[in-house]
Amino acid sequence: MTDGNNDHILRSKEISFIFDGVSVTGHDGETVAAALLRGGITHLRNAPNSGTPRGMFCIMGACQECVIEIDGRKVEACRTTISEGLVIRRVPDV
Amino acid sequence: MFDAIVIGAGPAGANAAIILSENGLKTALIDEQRDAGGQVWRVKSKSILKAPITEAVEQGDALRDRLKSSNVTAKFNCRVWHIERQENGHWQLSVVGDSEKKLTTKALIIATGAQERVIPVPGWTLPGVFGLAGATALFKEHMMAPMRRTIVAGNGPLLFYVASETLRLGGRVSAVISLNSRMDWLKSLPAMLSNPALIGQGLKWIFTLYKNRIPIYWQHAIKAVEGENTVDGVTICKVDQDWAPVAGTDQYIHGENLCYGQGLMPAVEATRLAGADHHYDEKLGGWVPTIDQWGRTSMSGLYACGDNAGIYGALAAPIRGSLAAEAVCEDAGINLKKRVDSKKLKAAKNFGLAATALTIPRSGLEALITDETEVCRCEGIIRQEIDFEIKTGAQSPNAIKSGTRCGMGPCGGRYCMEAIALITQHRTRKTREEIGLPTARPPLRPVTIDDISDDLDYDDLPIPGVSPL
Amino acid sequence: MMPIFDIAIIGGGIMGCGAALRLADGGMRPIILEQGDIGQGASGVNAGTLSMQIKRVKLMPYAIRGHEEWQHMGDAVGFHKTGGYTLAFNDREAELLHDRMSMKKEAGANISFVSPKQLNEFEPHLAGKVIAASYCPDDGYANSSLTGQYYRKKIDENGINFIEGFKVTNIRSTSEGYEIASNGRTVVASRILIACGGWSKHIAAMLGVELPIRARINTVSVTERAPRLISGVIGHATGLLTMKQKENGTILIGGGWQGKGRPEEGRGQVSVDSLVPNLQLAKFVLPALSNIRIVRSWTGFEANVPDFYPLAGALPNRDNAFILGCVRGGFTIGPYISKLMGDYILGKEPEMPLFDPARKMEEGKLI
């Protein structure tokens, strides 16, 4: 994701969180989906049966493709906001 | 107990809620987003501290301000997962994300908006493919455009908005691939002239694309999305009048993102779960609740307004919200000063219908779904399995679902049932009305048991009589 | 009109299709009239449990034969013999479990008692609060979603006529048989078999026969895919829970908790007031469920009569009219009892006695 030449957009301070063991930075209060996209991480999990890679798709909480795991709970990356030190992991393949 | 609850805080629902509350009805407004605005006036992320004001932001902020100064009980980050009609005719909503687990109301307005139609093609499941409407959510909420090169494909006006907005936000666009021909657009112009301002906006989008030398492929479709773990590019082809692929016209276009969608469909899960009658009307975007001109459904106390009751678009939405509020007030015996300008509504509706007309699925689309294409994203069911099921006698979405698991995953069939219907239509020559939809089931969104229940002592479980010996 | 078919079967579920297959085998020409799709009613939406431990004592011989039928159908219906456990969490339930399972064992089910420690070895994810448990190695499940696919193929292969979307609006009895109408279409047959589960009362009423059927509206839920948590079919001493994890990892939760609605209105409704305790009980038994998402809940109608036994035999006061329906165990028993019913209609002596619909029904006791 890019802000391109949009210097006139002022964002909140950068914080870091952990995605599958890797530290990723994002702006405080943005969604996990936005922060991961900014960090170039699009492959969030593998589909059952076909095993094909999946990432965020509808970005409005309907398709369930961007589901991630926080504290053992499955949540949609597009509807969950990041905070400093948040630990996220990929949903393991079943 | 509320007098009225509105599900969906977009321009239709939020406006309805404000009017109801102004007329003395105890009203709640529920939305799964963190504030009102819906998709069209989606509220910015808290991470955006300052940004240029656009028209959508202004309109959204105005709505949010009106809501804040009203008496409406707003419940945001709140999801409805079940809707039940009680014996006394009241409605009970089961919700997560609120201090209450159940809410009851005398009148229920459903204003859940639209959902995207996305035709499956090989590779559409790759990370880096987003819905067109999904891309707009990124723009509006996070003021971000996809990084690296973006291909924008599908139909209708959203294509040009997404492409030009990507550029405005500093992104790069490889190409715009439009199923619609230039002629399709010319034909729709007279109806759209009812709103010169929006026509002007559309022309501005297209001008931006020309200025940036972005190639527009008219009457072309995505044939396949290429890439191993993410998108590398797309193969496109020409399509005929019916949007069927034309052999020997393949071209390859590089790009790392694909924003892809074929128009909007009414999001009818909630009205269907509530039990209202629905019918199929392609002009309105697909299946719609059967309503009167105010938005009364077939069930007393249940109303629908906004795009979920037919894709008339954002201009018509607030007016339709007013109409539904009028109906609720009238049915509650409150004399409401009529505030709907029917001329304005008609103009808005005509504009919306003209835009929707560009996205009505055509018979050739199903040919883009190849044998090996994953139709059901959740369960990984490919077209071949669906064809086989139909060939061996399954004639309805319920039967296809049972036999293949297509539509049984977490999205609840939202992203495969349109393709299933197109395939069934092609194979059986039945009408969409005859094909129907699978039975509506709760929850409206996946929920955990912890989400919907409190911890309970075992001895407090309300266990009814044991089964007979 | 002269009858074209020897028998019209109202209802294309397990009962109707099973009987049709037997009748066709015996030389009759049946036609199946189904208001929706083949196998998409209760036959296709029940929890698919094939458990001896939840079968009624008197029905045990039928259940054992039914179980054999499912085993024979095998992969085509997603049959799995996993073994199953029934659990008790307090003294009252332990006593109930002991009394009931002993009687079921007596009736021929291969049931034994296991200690909580043994249970924990086999099913380590279950709650540690179990105080008594029983086990049956024959228990398992089939995938009820595949019922329609299976029977459609079978009736097709056997050249049996069927009409889907045939919602019976009127039945006229003539000297030759029955004229069955649905929105302008009429099917004429010499005999009629009512096998449409929760709708049977409604259809029998068209023939002027009052049946003491009150529909049960059973709720079933399914989770998204989860890592392996249970291997067998799990039940509860009260019979109010069935739980199994299918091969794809989804967990199916049932137990006969009641939804709302009436068959005549066409649709059952999940009731939060019974769904939530159903799921809470499931979570109590399998604590890991707390973080696994429910993706779908639904209901299916069952034709319940006061004594909870099947209706299988001649329709009272009508010639050449029959009824076949079963509550509490219809899925397990269906493929077998439908054969018995077929034999009865063919004029043969069924292998096991049927259940006369005209019997005097004592109100069954729910403890």
Side-chain angles (χ1 to χ4, degrees):
Chain A
M1 288 291 127
T2 173
D3 298 342
N5 48 15
N6 282 280
D7 301 332
H8 43 285
I9 298 172
L10 183 65
R11 294 180 192 269
S12 60
K13 69 173 192 298
E14 286 212 335
I15 55 160
S16 46
F17 62 99
I18 308 290
F19 181 74
D20 243 15
V22 178
S23 178
V24 184
T25 57
H27 293 281
D28 196 7
E30 69 185 356
T31 61
V32 175
L36 290 177
L37 273 172
R38 196 191 305 282
I41 300 168
T42 52
H43 178 182
L44 300 186
R45 59 183 196 94
N46 295 315
N49 287 353
S50 62
T52 51
R54 297 300 166 86
M56 50 217 86
F57 175 63
C58 82
I59 324 193
M60 49 184 73
C63 76
Q64 306 299 315
E65 290 281 37
C66 71
V67 161
I68 46 162
E69 215 175 274
I70 296 175
D71 292 334
R73 289 172 58 83
K74 282 184 186 159
V75 292
E76 297 135 0
C78 68
R79 280 176 33 85
T80 307
T81 51
I82 57 164
S83 52
E84 180 68 52
L86 184 70
V87 178
I88 304 169
R89 64 168 207 156
R90 282 191 167 94
V91 174
D93 296 354
V94 178
Chain B
M1 163 72 105
F2 289 93
D3 294 322
I5 291 182
V6 182
I7 306 177
N15 192 44
I18 293 167
I19 294 171
L20 291 170
S21 138
E22 282 169 358
N23 281 279
L25 294 182
K26 190 180 168 199
T27 305
L29 175 64
I30 303 175
D31 198 287
E32 60 183 355
Q33 289 192 52
R34 71 174 187 89
D35 206 337
Q39 297 304 337
V40 62
W41 297 337
R42 188 176 254 270
V43 65
K44 280 198 300 279
S45 159
K46 275 188 276 191
S47 64
I48 310 285
L49 304 180
K50 220 178 116 209
I53 304 289
T54 64
E55 204 181 323
V57 171
E58 266 178 356
Q59 286 173 314
D61 283 347
L63 180 76
R64 287 181 280 271
D65 287 346
R66 270 176 71 210
L67 186 65
K68 274 183 197 89
S69 56
S70 77
N71 289 323
V72 173
T73 307
K75 294 175 181 289
F76 293 123
N77 293 315
C78 178
R79 274 180 160 175
V80 177
W81 66 271
H82 194 22
I83 301 171
E84 291 170 80
R85 192 185 168 83
Q86 297 178 314
E87 269 175 29
N88 59 7
H90 296 168
W91 297 91
Q92 175 180 290
L93 307 184
S94 298
V95 298
V96 295
D98 189 56
S99 53
E100 305 289 329
K101 290 199 160 52
K102 288 180 200 166
L103 304 169
T104 51
T105 179
K106 289 176 193 160
L108 177 61
I109 298 185
I110 293 179
T112 43
Q115 76 155 76
E116 198 155 19
R117 178 189 294 113
V118 192
I119 302 301
V121 289
W124 76 306
T125 53
L126 277 172
V129 179
F130 311 106
L132 269 182
T136 70
L138 269 177
F139 301 154
K140 291 168 183 173
E141 186 174 348
H142 287 102
M143 311 204 72
M144 286 163 57
M147 259 192 326
R148 306 180 68 188
R149 291 164 301 182
T150 297
I151 300 157
V152 183
N155 60 17
L158 212 48
L159 273 184
F160 302 101
Y161 169 68
V162 167
S164 78
E165 196 68 1
T166 300
L167 292 169
R168 190 180 74 84
L169 288 165
R172 288 154 64 197
V173 176
S174 305
V176 173
I177 323 290
S178 167
L179 280 166
N180 299 114
S181 62
R182 284 192 189 89
M183 190 53 80
D184 289 341
W185 274 97
L186 280 176
K187 280 189 202 151
S188 69
L189 271 181
M192 288 192 172
L193 282 175
S194 59
N195 195 306
L198 282 188
I199 292 264
Q201 201 180 51
L203 288 174
K204 220 169 83 188
W205 297 337
I206 293 181
F207 178 71
T208 308
L209 299 184
Y210 278 111
K211 199 179 72 186
N212 286 277
R213 296 172 197 279
I214 309 298
I216 303 175
Y217 293 84
W218 300 99
Q219 223 178 321
H220 275 72
I222 301 282
K223 202 171 172 185
V225 189
E226 319 283 356
E228 192 71 30
N229 282 314
T230 53
V231 179
D232 294 332
V234 296
T235 300
I236 64 165
C237 66
K238 255 186 93 66
V239 292
D240 64 17
Q241 286 295 325
D242 297 324
W243 293 349
V246 176
T249 60
D250 292 7
Q251 291 183 61
Y252 186 85
I253 295 174
H254 287 280
E256 290 72 31
N257 301 286
L258 170 66
C259 299
Y260 180 61
Q262 283 85 0
L264 302 177
M265 305 184 291
V268 291
E269 293 88 357
T271 38
R272 293 187 67 232
L273 186 60
D277 291 343
H278 287 69
H279 65 277
Y280 188 83
D281 187 343
E282 64 171 19
K283 293 191 302 299
L284 298 183
W287 285 93
V288 285
T290 306
I291 54 170
D292 71 5
Q293 65 182 105
W294 287 272
R296 290 183 184 91
T297 69
S298 60
M299 301 178 87
S300 69
L302 184 72
Y303 309 79
C305 63
D307 274 356
N308 51 294
I311 309 289
Y312 288 111
L315 273 181
I319 312 174
R320 299 172 79 198
S322 304
L323 279 171
E326 268 184 24
V328 171
C329 287
E330 193 179 302
D331 296 347
I334 298 167
N335 256 331
L336 178 64
K337 216 171 63 211
K338 295 273 182 283
R339 57 173 75 210
V340 172
D341 178 348
S342 57
K343 230 171 106 188
K344 212 169 129 195
L345 175 64
K346 197 159 176 248
K349 276 187 161 182
N350 284 342
F351 185 86
L353 285 180
T356 301
L358 289 163
T359 68
I360 294 174
R362 299 186 194 170
S363 60
L365 273 183
E366 63 78 33
L368 292 165
I369 313 169
T370 61
D371 285 355
E372 300 299 323
T373 303
E374 283 187 53
V375 172
C376 170
R377 301 177 68 102
C378 297
E379 295 293 320
I381 311 298
I382 60 171
R383 164 148 190 183
Q384 225 165 30
E385 298 172 71
I386 292 151
D387 276 331
F388 181 78
E389 206 59 28
I390 297 170
K391 217 171 94 192
T392 54
Q395 299 285 301
S396 71
N398 273 338
I400 294 168
K401 184 176 162 184
S402 290
T404 62
R405 288 193 61 77
C406 195
M408 285 195 180
C411 94
R414 276 172 188 78
Y415 287 90
C416 62
M417 279 307 148
E418 179 72 3
I420 295 289
L422 291 176
I423 295 168
T424 309
Q425 195 175 23
H426 172 72
R427 294 274 169 225
T428 66
R429 302 288 159 197
K430 285 186 176 183
T431 64
R432 291 295 295 267
E433 187 86 36
E434 287 163 346
I435 293 166
L437 287 168
T439 314
R441 316 272 201 211
L444 288 167
R445 294 279 194 269
V447 289
T448 65
I449 299 175
D450 281 0
D451 284 337
I452 62 172
S453 66
D454 295 314
D455 268 335
L456 201 66
D457 268 352
Y458 183 69
D459 293 332
D460 293 337
L461 269 175
I463 289 184
V466 301
S467 58
L469 183 62
Chain C
M1 276 193 276
M2 284 301 287
I4 297 165
F5 297 98
D6 294 317
I7 184 162
I9 300 172
I10 316 295
I14 296 168
M15 299 293 179
C17 293
L21 288 167
R22 191 69 159 194
L23 288 164
D25 204 34
M28 273 197 189
R29 188 172 181 210
I31 181 167
I32 299 168
L33 306 175
E34 164 56 49
Q35 63 169 345
D37 299 296
I38 293 293
Q40 292 292 323
S43 299
V45 301
N46 70 87
T49 313
L50 301 170
S51 162
M52 295 302 140
Q53 297 182 77
I54 58 171
K55 290 297 156 316
R56 304 189 60 198
V57 173
K58 196 173 150 189
L59 295 180
M60 199 59 74
Y62 301 82
I64 290 168
R65 299 298 175 83
H67 200 281
E68 287 165 9
E69 297 281 340
W70 282 106
Q71 185 154 9
H72 182 70
M73 292 185 246
D75 283 346
V77 291
F79 174 84
H80 288 277
K81 193 194 264 191
T82 57
Y85 298 91
T86 304
L87 318 177
F89 293 92
N90 59 32
D91 292 341
R92 177 179 162 266
E93 289 168 5
E95 201 186 315
L96 197 66
L97 184 79
H98 188 266
D99 292 353
R100 293 186 150 212
M101 292 306 164
S102 302
M103 288 170 80
K104 291 178 188 191
K105 197 175 163 185
E106 190 83 3
N110 183 11
I111 297 173
S112 55
F113 293 96
V114 292
S115 71
K117 191 164 164 285
Q118 283 170 307
L119 174 71
N120 187 256
E121 276 166 32
F122 293 118
E123 298 282 7
H125 293 283
L126 293 182
K129 295 161 186 161
V130 177
I131 67 162
S134 57
Y135 174 68
C136 176
D138 297 329
D139 285 359
Y141 65 89
N143 182 355
S144 71
S145 298
L146 296 177
T147 307
Q149 194 186 57
Y150 176 84
Y151 277 105
R152 179 183 282 114
K153 185 158 177 263
K154 278 281 169 203
I155 56 181
D156 228 28
E157 282 171 0
N158 285 273
I160 295 171
N161 290 77
F162 66 98
I163 309 178
E164 292 177 304
F166 193 100
K167 201 177 165 86
V168 177
T169 47
N170 187 45
I171 303 175
R172 211 166 70 90
S173 119
T174 68
S175 54
E176 272 97 26
Y178 296 94
E179 292 181 12
I180 300 140
S182 167
N183 302 320
R185 289 178 291 182
T186 303
V187 169
V188 187
S190 316
R191 303 171 187 81
I192 188 168
L193 168 64
I194 301 173
C196 49
W199 284 267
S200 297
K201 182 188 176 77
H202 182 60
I203 298 295
M206 289 184 187
L207 288 166
V209 178
E210 268 305 310
L211 291 173
I213 295 177
R214 285 163 307 180
R216 276 171 58 81
I217 311 139
N218 298 321
T219 308
V220 184
S221 301
V222 67
T223 70
E224 63 189 328
R225 285 172 165 81
R228 183 57 46 188
L229 292 170
I230 44 175
S231 57
V233 174
I234 307 299
H236 189 262
T238 58
L240 288 160
L241 181 70
T242 65
M243 192 156 57
K244 64 195 72 80
Q245 187 167 21
K246 305 218 298 205
E247 287 218 312
N248 63 17
T250 61
I251 300 170
L252 214 55
I253 301 167
W257 293 71
Q258 295 296 288
K260 294 184 291 198
R262 297 192 310 153
E264 307 85 272
E265 290 160 359
R267 85 193 257 279
Q269 224 189 327
V270 172
S271 165
V272 167
D273 295 338
S274 67
L275 173 67
V276 168
N278 184 188
L279 298 178
Q280 280 176 312
L281 178 59
K283 187 186 102 172
F284 182 84
V285 171
L286 183 64
L289 272 178
S290 66
N291 276 333
I292 298 167
R293 300 185 304 170
I294 304 291
V295 294
R296 209 160 53 255
S297 296
W298 63 93
T299 57
F301 289 116
E302 217 182 7
N304 193 26
V305 292
D307 63 4
F308 310 120
Y309 286 111
L311 296 175
L315 200 64
N317 308 319
R318 283 274 168 235
D319 291 334
N320 296 318
F322 308 89
I323 181 161
L324 175 61
C326 186
V327 68
R328 299 195 187 266
F331 185 71
T332 307
I333 295 170
Y336 179 63
I337 202 169
S338 57
K339 285 187 172 174
L340 299 182
M341 191 71 206
D343 287 343
Y344 177 75
I345 295 169
L346 289 166
K348 299 178 188 167
E349 178 70 24
E351 189 180 51
M352 272 195 240
L354 288 172
F355 296 81
D356 184 4
R359 69 181 176 268
K360 194 173 173 310
M361 292 182 203
E362 303 264 324
E363 194 72 31
K365 221 168 59 185
L366 294 177
I367 304 163

